[in-house]
Amino acid sequence: MKKLLMLSILMVFSNCIHIKINEKEPTSFYVGTYTNGDSKGIYKYQIDGTGLLSKIGLVAETNNPSFIAKTKDNQTLLAVEETDENGTGFVNSFRILKDTLIFTSKSKSGGAHPCFITINHKNQVLVSNYSGGNVGYLEVDDQNGLTNILDVQQHFGKGVTDRQKAPHAHSAWFHPTKNEIISLDLGTNQLWFSAIDETKKGFVFTNQKILNMAEGAGPRHLTFHPKNQWIYVLNELNNTVSLVKENNNIYVVESSISMLPKDFTKYSKGADIHISNDGKFLYASNRGHNSIVIYKMSSENGTLELVGFEDVRGANPRNFSLSPDNKFLLVANQDTNNLVSFKRNAETGKLTFVNEVSAPNPVCILF
């Protein structure tokens, strides 16, 4: 009898340990917004191990933080202030302190309506100014604030559509393996290639300088394949994803694929694009069709094969993000004020709805 009692106690204790080990702390993330409605700035949310979303609250009051980024040490958060005050917008920096953001600095962005920001491991910062048609360069200083604008890369030219009558820099990216910057300009319909001269603290164009996209494409965002030297460009205006490769040190568009169903005829435009960490699946968001399109990627040549579409359960899916463990995909539906989580099948790439939570004018999700 004593042996049975002892065995029962050990089993209960073992189960308690097993449960405790498998409990996973919720993962928090930030949401950038537009503040022309109910939003007051940057909010913090969390997702648990089952995909359930919950709101932590407002962490910083700021104007139109439509795109946000963090330093690699997770000490500083940067947010654009998508405005136009005498021809410029702004970038704000915040010190991250638990569930609060402490304002540290404000700098001009170099042009009107900044809509994208990114930072690399050297604390170099790129901010894309949509109306200004240019890319600003700043740095995070030793006090975790921002320097003043150090240089501006101005774009020139136009495309063939009504949205392309002037330059509209929509995003700029640090290449993950070399000293190169790729800027996407929806207005000029081109990719611009440059680098940072660290002595002069400014931009210098590379030998190629530009890559023309298909007429009316409207390049907006891109993503780098995690294992190969392939780049995928999301074209907002013609709703395509283009595979870009280097051929004898020159970038070329190898192929493009539609983001929409063949029988869809209503207006839609692309928004955001991401690749799973294993390099097997690519996802992109459609505003109008209101879906996430899912592609399977060829490991041999990077070509895309359509898997299907997932309804985002809202309108105007601006940006979305894969959770750090890639088990979930989260969507920010700007016009319906909701965040939606989907569980991701790592074998098929398909998505299954899990949960949604209200969020005021959500635009950007940042883990």
Side-chain angles (χ1 to χ4, degrees):
M1 190 68 181
K2 287 183 178 180
K3 289 183 178 180
L4 285 173
L5 181 61
M6 183 62 69
L7 181 62
S8 297
I9 292 171
L10 286 172
M11 288 179 66
V12 170
F13 182 68
S14 175
N15 286 336
C16 287
I17 292 175
H18 179 74
I19 291 170
K20 193 167 186 179
I21 290 174
N22 284 284
E23 283 179 353
K24 183 182 177 183
E25 288 292 323
T27 302
S28 63
F29 58 94
Y30 296 96
V31 176
T33 68
Y34 279 122
T35 54
N36 54 355
D38 293 332
S39 174
K40 293 183 179 180
I42 302 169
Y43 292 81
K44 195 173 184 180
Y45 288 77
Q46 63 183 18
I47 181 171
D48 70 11
T50 66
L52 293 178
L53 301 169
S54 58
K55 182 177 180 179
I56 295 174
L58 178 70
V59 290
E61 288 197 31
T62 183
N63 189 23
N64 279 351
S66 62
F67 212 91
I68 53 180
K70 286 193 298 183
T71 52
K72 303 305 177 184
D73 61 9
N74 289 314
Q75 298 297 308
T76 302
L77 184 142
L78 307 176
V80 302
E81 191 171 310
E82 191 173 334
T83 56
D84 179 2
E85 292 186 18
N86 300 316
T88 188
F90 301 92
V91 183
N92 294 309
S93 68
F94 301 87
R95 182 162 53 88
I96 298 172
L97 183 63
K98 295 183 179 179
D99 291 334
T100 303
L101 296 178
I102 308 299
F103 174 80
T104 53
S105 69
K106 181 174 184 175
S107 301
K108 292 181 178 180
S109 66
H113 296 116
C115 61
F116 183 91
I117 190 167
T118 188
I119 184 169
N120 66 6
H121 66 283
K122 296 180 180 179
N123 282 341
Q124 297 172 325
V125 179
L126 302 175
V127 55
S128 302
N129 299 298
Y130 182 84
S131 297
N134 55 36
V135 179
Y137 171 57
L138 310 90
E139 293 181 356
V140 172
D141 62 27
D142 294 337
Q143 304 301 315
N144 295 321
L146 282 164
T147 62
N148 290 326
I149 192 80
L150 297 172
D151 197 19
V152 174
Q153 175 180 292
Q154 184 63 51
H155 297 170
F156 300 93
K158 61 181 181 178
V160 298
T161 72
D162 289 341
R163 291 273 309 276
Q164 298 178 310
K165 293 181 178 179
H168 293 305
H170 220 309
S171 63
W173 309 76
F174 291 104
H175 195 287
T177 62
K178 57 182 176 179
N179 179 27
E180 184 176 64
I181 293 165
I182 305 176
S183 304
L184 280 64
D185 196 300
L186 181 146
T188 70
N189 206 54
Q190 296 165 323
L191 274 56
W192 294 65
F193 303 98
S194 59
I196 295 296
D197 184 321
E198 297 191 20
T199 301
K200 297 179 180 179
K201 298 288 185 181
F203 295 101
V204 289
F205 285 116
T206 64
N207 291 332
Q208 182 171 358
K209 188 175 179 180
I210 60 171
L211 171 65
N212 294 314
M213 305 302 288
E215 281 196 355
R220 176 187 173 96
H221 281 191
L222 64 72
T223 186
F224 298 94
H225 192 280
K227 299 180 180 180
N228 297 287
Q229 295 297 310
W230 303 329
I231 300 169
Y232 296 86
V233 176
L234 180 141
N235 300 298
E236 176 179 337
L237 302 183
N238 72 354
N239 300 285
T240 62
V241 174
S242 295
L243 171 58
V244 175
K245 292 185 179 180
E246 281 190 88
N247 186 1
N248 295 321
N249 295 318
I250 298 295
Y251 287 102
V252 295
V253 178
E254 183 168 285
S255 62
S256 295
I257 187 172
S258 175
M259 295 172 57
L260 297 170
K262 292 181 179 179
D263 59 352
F264 186 81
T265 58
K266 296 179 181 179
Y267 178 73
S268 191
K269 54 186 178 180
D272 201 12
I273 184 169
H274 295 284
I275 295 175
S276 57
N277 286 343
D278 58 13
K280 294 181 179 180
F281 296 97
L282 184 146
Y283 302 87
S285 55
N286 291 306
R287 296 176 292 170
H289 187 249
N290 292 326
S291 65
I292 299 294
V293 58
I294 308 163
Y295 304 101
K296 184 178 181 180
M297 310 176 72
S298 167
S299 59
E300 295 181 359
N301 56 24
T303 56
L304 301 177
E305 176 186 348
L306 179 67
V307 173
F309 300 87
E310 182 65 36
D311 189 314
V312 296
R313 297 174 181 252
N316 196 5
R318 185 64 173 267
N319 287 97
F320 68 94
S321 180
L322 292 165
S323 61
D325 59 11
N326 271 219
K327 291 182 179 180
F328 301 98
L329 185 147
L330 281 65
V331 181
N333 291 315
Q334 181 183 340
D335 291 353
T336 45
N337 301 307
N338 64 328
L339 302 174
V340 184
S341 65
F342 298 90
K343 185 169 179 58
R344 197 181 74 88
N345 186 313
E347 299 301 319
T348 66
K350 293 183 178 181
L351 305 173
T352 303
F353 170 75
V354 178
N355 186 229
E356 68 175 293
V357 66
S358 63
N361 296 103
V363 179
C364 180
I365 294 172
L366 175 67
F367 279 96

